[in-house]
Amino acid sequence: MVSNIVILTGAGISAESGIDTFRDGGGLWEQHRVEDVATPEAFARDPDLVHRFYDMRREAIQAKLPNPAHGALARLDAVWNGRLLIVTQNVDDLHERAGARRVLHMHGEHLKAWCTACDVRSPWREPLIDRPPCPVCQSRSLRPDIVWFGEMPYRMGEIYAALREADLFVSIGTSGAVYPAAGLVRDARELGIETLELNLEPSQGSQWFHAARHGPASELVPAWVEEVLAGAGNSGP
Ligand code: NAD
Ligand code: ZN
């Protein structure tokens, strides 16, 4: 019987809501590699470029809607009596808008701005390109509250603590390319936890999972949630 679940989600769960994964479009944005925009070095070198990229994505996600995969996880969250943690690499708010509550954003959130002067993170929906003042200290030092490549993901201690309590680890819509998220399946295996991958195609870490199902998240996730709720979620592929 499964009682404690850790779920890791990536850009793939939001793909059917119309939010591009970084690999879509060949990994390029205005001729820049996305990895070259999403770094602290890029922000230091060319803050306008980085602000334009995130202003565009922040605006875009607000017009998108959760899909049945987000809905199914929200339903699981609402009724699951055991422990549950939805660790998301996504910086969109589609888990929350679907109604999920036990969500941890390990890579930050588009809808927050982080003031590097006073260190406060404020809810944010507007562009940052014109350097608006921080609502707390008025300094014009706001940056996207996004964990860039080379920065430390948020709340790893909480994630590992949840994993130690878990008996099922499920990875949904993530390529297995971005660490430390990509290493969580191996951490789970070392802890003796059952592991399941739900992804459009085999991820880079697919071989680490006990079981893997491949297809669109909007179909795989609702089907899996129904199985878990029926008490069959830990029974392999
Ligand atoms: P990723 O590394 O999480 O890879 C996306 C994975 O999703 C791929 O393996 C792909 O095969 C799979 N996928 C695509 N469509 C799918 C579908 N319909 N159903 C199931 N699986 C599907 O994501 P990335 O784009 O390589 O991004 C790397 C980093 O940037 C991560 O931190 C990621 O979460 C973040 N990012 C976040 C968002 C967002 O918040 N929505 C969007 C882009 C990138
Ligand atoms: Zn401030």
Side-chain angles (χ1 to χ4, degrees), residues 9-11 39 42 71 89 93 106 114 128 139 156 165 171 174-175 183 189 194-195 204 210-211 233:
T9 69
T39 66
Q89 301 168 81
D93 63 338
M106 68 182 294
W114 172 20
L128 290 172
S139 158
M156 290 305 296
E165 300 275 330
S171 173
T174 180
S175 63
R189 289 297 291 259
E194 200 66 25
T195 56
Q204 290 182 30
H210 291 105

Side-chain angles (χ1 to χ4, degrees), residues 11-12 16 21-23 89-92 107 175 199-201 217:
E16 290 166 85
T21 68
F22 283 171
R23 310 291 182 264
Q89 301 168 81
N90 292 348
V91 293
D92 65 51
H107 289 166
S175 63
N199 203 51
L200 192 59
E201 59 198 4

Side-chain angles (χ1 to χ4, degrees), residues 119-138:
D119 201 30
V120 172
R121 290 166 170 86
S122 301
W124 202 266
R125 292 182 172 270
E126 304 302 318
L128 290 172
I129 185 89
D130 293 330
R131 312 299 195 276
C134 165
V136 176
C137 76
Q138 310 306 317

Side-chain angles (χ1 to χ4, degrees), residues 164-201:
R164 283 193 294 273
E165 300 275 330
D167 35 37
L168 178 62
F169 173 77
V170 185
S171 173
I172 304 171
T174 180
S175 63
V178 179
Y179 283 83
L184 290 176
V185 61
R186 269 170 279 176
D187 299 325
R189 289 297 291 259
E190 278 171 21
L191 290 163
I193 300 167
E194 200 66 25
T195 56
L196 171 67
E197 167 168 281
L198 305 177
N199 203 51
L200 192 59
E201 59 198 4

